[in-house]
Amino acid sequence: MKTVFSPRHRGHANQLELMAGAIVPGFELPSRAEFIHDRILEVGLGDIVAPKDFDLSIAERVQAKDFLDFLPTVYPRWKELGREGTALAYTWPTRGLRGDVVPECLDGALGHYSFDAGCGFVEGTWDAIKSSHDVALTAAELVKEGAGSAYALCRPPGHHAGSNFMGGYCYINNAAVAAEYFRVNGAKRVSILDVDYHHGNGTQEIFYSRSDVQVINIHGDPNQEYPYFLGYKEETGAGEGEGFNINYPLRWGTDWAGWSQALKDGIQKLEAFGPDVVIVSLGVDTFEKDPISQFKLKTEDYPKIGALIKAIGKPTLFVQEGGYAVADIGVNAVGVLTGFEGA
Ligand code: OKS
Ligand code: ZN
């Protein structure tokens, strides 16, 4: 399978985030993508190609134009204020405050367009975001043109980003943009299977009222785990979308036995939906040694995930999401892909 990768992700570096009472170096490191890239070469998965340049017209169908227009302005505005380091929100419009105003002040606008302090901006952040979007669409195009599968080595990731907000290291929702791309280009139904450790709240929110994109999420129970405020079992879709959103919240400590049971159940529901194409939001932060996660999957489990997805027998686009045990992330992410290839 071909991989789409851009070195432009590297400019998104040294950003800080707020975590457990401290401003800390971001866990979402450039080395994540580099370890995966190097592992692809090591196992000879297939060619690694550069992304084409796409405009944001597909993205604007799933995320608000004012939000997308805001993203490239953040760091220039931060510098105009005489600031350096990481541009980060610190005030958010929760219950009892105005969710409908975008304050003139950059700090207020950053709060308006985000739900946490996990989305810092540095000089190269917008260029990395745009390259990640282009990586996803270039890989989607390969699948549309008949490749049975492709791998979008996206960084930054996307699944926490919603129709008009960022959060959890995610700005543009790469998987959602790819799903919309397939719909615009003839697919009747698309399934997004999100196997990242964290609930893909952004993807759920974007497609919640739609019956043409099925969203299946397997993740840490939000009662215990980030993003806390979405991802519960009873969230099954709204209106036309009722029944097309499926959540599998699993408790801390879940291992392959429990996790694979959810995957198999999810795959049954996916097959019943009958999509023309499958998008896998591929996080490998389910790994037992992941520094911010609490599942217990082992390196040997990742090829089994790939094999189960292969057995669905549909054109498949893999989109990289999370995974932070950087020394292992390459082996585990590429393990899913080689398992899919039957290697
Ligand atoms: C706030 C962010 C904390 C956890 C973000 C989880 C990102 C992830 N500082 N999503 O799949 O891996
Ligand atoms: Zn994650």
Side-chain angles (χ1 to χ4, degrees), residues 231-251:
Y232 295 84
K233 203 172 163 50
E234 66 270 20
E235 297 154 15
T236 54
E240 293 228 319
E242 180 58 55
F244 298 96
N245 189 82
I246 300 153
N247 281 328
Y248 294 94
L250 303 173
R251 301 296 285 181

Side-chain angles (χ1 to χ4, degrees), residues 9 15 17 19 26-37 151-160 168-170 194-199 218 225-226 281-295 297 302 305 319-334 336:
H9 80 85
Q15 79 282 9
E17 66 174 290
M19 179 86 95
F27 281 85
E28 206 283 278
L29 293 161
S31 55
R32 300 176 55 248
E34 301 299 326
F35 274 110
I36 299 174
H37 176 274
Y151 175 47
L153 211 183
C154 291
R155 178 176 180 272
H159 73 153
H160 296 301
Y169 318 152
C170 301
D194 188 326
V195 299
D196 187 279
Y197 172 74
H198 303 93
H199 177 249
I218 305 168
E225 191 52 77
Y226 179 95
S281 266
L282 178 58
V284 291
D285 36 14
T286 47
F287 184 49
E288 57 180 345
K289 292 180 194 142
D290 191 275
I292 62 171
S293 307
Q294 308 294 333
F295 283 175
L297 267 58
Y302 290 94
I305 298 175
V319 176
Q320 187 62 44
E321 303 284 0
Y324 306 95
V326 283
D328 303 277
I329 180 176
V331 176
N332 293 340
V334 178
V336 174

Side-chain angles (χ1 to χ4, degrees), residues 56 60 64-74 113 126:
L56 293 173
E60 283 171 11
K65 183 167 167 34
D66 64 309
F67 168 67
L68 294 168
D69 287 345
F70 174 68
L71 298 177
T73 72
V74 172
Y113 285 121
W126 165 249

Side-chain angles (χ1 to χ4, degrees), residues 87-144:
L88 203 56
Y90 64 84
T91 309
W92 294 272
T94 186
R95 295 161 302 283
L97 296 174
R98 290 276 296 271
D100 61 328
V101 289
V102 185
E104 273 171 43
C105 170
L106 178 61
D107 297 301
L110 278 168
H112 172 85
Y113 285 121
S114 58
F115 70 88
D116 69 6
C119 274
F121 286 75
V122 295
E123 185 75 48
T125 296
W126 165 249
D127 191 54
I129 296 166
K130 178 59 168 56
S131 77
S132 192
H133 158 275
D134 290 347
V135 162
L137 282 176
T138 303
E141 186 179 76
L142 290 173
V143 172
K144 185 203 74 171

